[in-house]
Amino acid sequence: MSGTSLTKPVVIAVQGTCLTLGIELILASDIAVAARSTTFGQIEVTRGILPFGGATLRFPRAVGWGNAMRYILTGDTFDAAEAHRIGLVQEVVDDGEQFDRALAIAERIAAQAPLAVQAALANAKRAVREGDAAAEAELQPTLVRLVTSEDARIGMEAFLTRTEARFVGR
């Protein structure tokens, strides 16, 4: 997901016990919201195997080498507060509120200019995949394309008139 060519952001809500492939799903998403009682664990080494769904690639990128190795190499579990501290999840909410909060974030994203959201997501993914130079090389051409869009006109008009923009995706 965040490592693929999807053009729509993926927002995930988690609750309960989130082990191995559950963490892999978070790592494949763009934004994660966790219920306060959620527990996490990348426990493959405790079973004699290694993370095989991409955690050895994505976990260090998402939370830093030391944080990822702390949990990948020990198989220790951790709570939602720790998941937030290391950057695995972006928000922790009271139990039962995680879906509504994730949906609110997704709706907030959906209210933005679709072409701009897609371009921002694609450029950030390119930076992670190919490096800053590759992403930087795409900034100017992408900006030129977006500036000529109907959504850019709508956004500027909304800014000048202090009204809410209603984007059309063109």
Side-chain angles (χ1 to χ4, degrees), residues 112-166:
Q112 307 313 311
L115 298 176
V117 168
Q118 291 168 7
L121 185 62
N123 195 262
K125 286 179 182 181
R126 173 165 281 134
V128 169
R129 248 188 353 262
E130 301 171 30
D132 291 352
E136 189 176 328
E138 290 295 319
L139 286 176
Q140 190 67 25
T142 301
L143 181 59
V144 168
R145 180 177 53 83
L146 290 175
V147 166
T148 62
S149 72
E150 188 172 346
D151 278 353
R153 183 194 57 75
I154 291 168
M156 185 54 70
E157 184 176 304
F159 175 75
L160 293 173
T161 61
R162 291 179 166 64
T163 59
E164 190 171 329
R166 302 278 184 224

Side-chain angles (χ1 to χ4, degrees), residues 18-101:
C18 188
L19 301 176
T20 63
L21 291 176
I23 291 178
E24 307 268 6
L25 287 173
I26 292 171
L27 294 169
S29 300
D30 298 301
I31 300 169
V33 178
R36 197 166 312 285
S37 67
T38 307
T39 57
F40 301 84
Q42 198 69 54
I43 63 166
E44 289 89 345
V45 297
T46 69
R47 303 299 184 255
I49 60 174
L50 81 158
F52 54 88
T56 56
L57 308 171
R58 293 186 190 124
F59 210 180
R61 289 182 196 147
V63 305
W65 181 263
N67 288 324
M69 292 302 104
R70 163 72 177 88
Y71 294 108
I72 289 174
L73 298 178
T74 65
D76 288 348
T77 59
F78 53 100
D79 63 15
E82 175 69 353
H84 185 257
R85 185 192 73 77
I86 65 175
L88 179 62
V89 300
Q90 286 62 60
E91 288 191 35
V92 176
V93 297
D94 290 335
D95 290 13
E97 295 179 10
Q98 68 281 350
F99 178 80
D100 289 341
R101 181 61 186 137

